[in-house]
């Protein structure tokens, strides 16, 4: 992938170092793509930046960049997609923390946006991040003959965030199922929509923008779908196991609010096993990438065993 900053695969490849390095690159571009903090109206730009520039892992944009890397994609296009995905994700976190939703005081190791700026500004900051994200996607620097791909990418991101199997659908099912019985099938549906869809889109849209064949794109899509579900299973596990210091948010909230979670249905040990197995089957989907898929495989493994 043509980059201004080159990522080199070392033999002693360490995922933590890679994540840190990628976060630095992403933060530089997020800073360029977001409105300056001191531009009017200042308060909303400050709130957008407060929530974006915190301790987030940047998993979705990193997956997009890594997919592009594996396929020799163009960094200029991929970074637009990557930044847009992180803005949409941050939007969802701000709204998820609101009193009307999860009512959480902490996020990413700091006060949640509504606790720092008030509810009104937090709602607007979330909306503003979503609008800026879609504007960035319309600004994707593609050649005239790639306009159709750009429209497909826009459509895929809309689906991933929307009410038909996307993030919004997942959040609605999550709210409706709170303190109510749920089946294994419903649980998988909620998690795949709430969290899986945007992770799937991160990988799939990067594949589309990198000119992957239909066969390769479908395999990467299957990889994204499986690691996306595994990501939320581990999120459920961390809600039970991790401290505020590790997770950056209030622990045990899902359990207290009677949410549909994997540990609630299967127990912790079986949930851990499920996440690891899902990622291993995901990795089989991208065997065709050979050595070029090394980072994606490592990112998958990180997702299944992560502690934060
Ligand atoms: C954004 C379209 C749209 C709608 C908002 C509030 C809402 C509807 C959806 C909430 C979805 C949500 C919060 C899902 C949880 C996903 C999740 C596992 C969040 C934590 O992700 P990490 O671990 O967080 O990647 P960091 O902070 O590292 O980025």
């Amino acid at each position: 992938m043509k980059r201004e900053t080159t990522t080199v695969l070392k033999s002693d490849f360490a995922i933590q170092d890679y994540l840190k390095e990628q976060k630095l690159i992403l933060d530089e571009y997020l800073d360029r793509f977001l409105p300056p903090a001191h531009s009017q109206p200042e308060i909303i730009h400050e709130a957008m930046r407060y929530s974006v520039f915190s301790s987030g892992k940047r998993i979705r944009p990193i997956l997009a960049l890594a997919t592009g890397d594996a396929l020799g994609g163009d960094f200029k296009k991929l970074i637009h997609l990557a930044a847009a995905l992180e803005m949409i994700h941050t939007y969802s976190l701000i709204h998820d923390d609101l009193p009307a939703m999860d009512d959480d005081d902490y996020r990413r190791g700091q006060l949640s946006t509504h606790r720092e700026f008030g509810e009104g500004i937090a709602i607007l900051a979330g909306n503003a991040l979503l609008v800026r994200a879609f504007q960035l996607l319309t600004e994707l620097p593609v050649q005239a003959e790639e306009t159709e791909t750009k429209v497909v990418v826009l459509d895929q991101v809309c689906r991933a965030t929307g009410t038909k199997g996307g993030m919004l659908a997942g959040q609605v099912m999550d709210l409706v199922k709170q303190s109510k019985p749920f089946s294994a099938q419903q649980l998988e549906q909620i998690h795949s929509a709430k969290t899986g869809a945007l992770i799937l889109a991160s990988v799939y849209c990067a594949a589309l923008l990198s000119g992957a064949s239909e066969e390769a794109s479908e395999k990467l899509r299957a990889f994204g779908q499986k690691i996306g579900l595994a990501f939320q299973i581990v999120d459920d596990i961390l809600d039970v196991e991790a401290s505020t210091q590790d997770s950056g948010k209030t622990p045990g909230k899902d359990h207290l609010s009677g949410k549909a979670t994997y540990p609630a249905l299967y127990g912790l040990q079986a949930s851990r096993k499920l996440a690891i197995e899902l990622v291993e089957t995901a990795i089989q989907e991208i065997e065709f990438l050979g050595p070029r898929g090394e980072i994606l495989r490592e990112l998958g493994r990180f997702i299944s065993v992560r502690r934060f």
Side-chain angles (χ1 to χ4, degrees):
M1 180 163 55
K2 289 160 235 114
R3 281 192 179 216
E4 285 169 27
T5 314
T6 316
T7 312
V8 183
L9 257 186
K10 304 171 193 90
S11 52
D12 59 343
F13 176 64
I15 193 71
Q16 301 291 350
D17 293 343
Y18 174 78
L19 289 171
K20 274 189 208 143
E21 183 188 290
Q22 296 300 296
K23 185 171 155 92
L24 283 178
I25 297 169
L26 279 158
D27 285 4
E28 185 195 322
Y29 281 88
L30 282 162
D31 184 37
R32 279 193 215 177
F33 290 145
L34 283 167
H38 297 300
S39 58
Q40 292 297 332
E42 280 186 13
I43 186 78
I44 185 120
H45 299 145
E46 279 168 20
M48 289 161 82
R49 286 171 165 272
Y50 171 84
S51 46
V52 170
F53 295 113
S54 47
S55 66
K57 293 180 286 300
R58 311 279 189 249
I59 278 294
R60 296 147 193 83
I62 288 175
L63 279 167
L65 293 180
T67 304
D69 255 333
L71 298 165
D74 178 357
F75 180 73
K76 288 200 285 303
K77 293 176 204 158
L78 291 158
I79 195 67
H80 272 73
L81 170 69
L85 291 165
E86 186 61 22
M87 288 182 199
I88 293 170
H89 168 60
T90 309
Y91 158 49
S92 78
L93 299 181
I94 297 174
H95 282 201
D96 191 49
D97 290 338
L98 289 168
M101 301 266 180
D102 273 7
D103 193 11
D104 222 313
D105 288 346
Y106 294 95
R107 171 69 71 177
R108 293 178 156 179
Q110 61 184 18
L111 280 176
S112 45
T113 311
H114 69 275
R115 294 276 284 121
E116 183 70 21
F117 289 88
E119 254 185 86
I121 292 297
I123 293 169
L124 295 172
N127 294 347
L129 283 169
L130 186 68
V131 172
R132 181 65 190 124
F134 280 100
Q135 187 181 37
L136 260 181
L137 292 176
T138 66
E139 290 167 2
L140 262 165
V142 296
Q143 304 292 323
E145 63 272 18
E146 296 170 307
T147 307
E148 203 184 315
T149 308
K150 177 154 122 175
V151 174
V152 174
V153 165
L154 261 163
D155 178 56
Q156 288 297 320
V157 178
C158 287
R159 282 168 193 263
T161 51
T163 54
K164 299 261 184 204
M167 205 187 252
L168 272 158
Q171 184 76 349
V172 172
M173 289 188 275
D174 207 22
L175 279 176
V176 170
K177 276 286 157 204
Q178 220 150 300
S179 303
K180 298 226 174 78
F182 57 92
S183 67
Q185 196 196 358
Q186 285 168 328
L187 180 60
E188 185 177 325
Q189 215 184 350
I190 295 172
H191 281 27
S192 296
K194 186 174 81 167
T195 306
L198 196 63
I199 291 183
L200 184 163
S202 309
V203 175
Y204 185 57
C205 292
L208 295 176
L209 282 177
S210 305
S213 67
E214 203 179 321
E215 197 188 349
S217 302
E218 284 311 312
K219 286 187 171 154
L220 281 157
R221 186 191 172 90
F223 169 79
Q225 189 264 325
K226 292 183 171 88
I227 62 165
L229 177 58
F231 191 91
Q232 183 58 50
I233 297 176
V234 176
D235 197 72
D236 288 352
I237 296 170
L238 294 178
D239 180 70
V240 181
E241 286 188 334
S243 63
T244 304
Q245 200 184 357
D246 286 339
S247 71
K249 55 184 187 175
T250 320
K253 286 213 69 169
D254 294 349
H255 177 67
L256 280 177
S257 54
K259 278 207 177 172
T261 68
Y262 273 74
L265 194 64
Y266 297 101
L268 276 172
Q269 215 177 328
S271 302
R272 238 180 260 118
K273 191 162 169 270
L274 257 171
I276 290 170
E277 283 169 1
L278 254 175
V279 166
E280 286 311 316
T281 58
I283 285 172
Q284 285 166 18
E285 301 280 359
I286 54 165
E287 253 170 25
F288 75 98
L289 285 172
R292 288 175 301 143
E294 185 188 352
I295 296 181
L296 283 179
R297 285 192 285 276
E298 287 300 323
L299 284 170
R301 293 200 178 99
F302 165 75
I303 282 173
S304 66
V305 297
R306 70 195 174 94
R307 311 293 307 165
F308 61 98

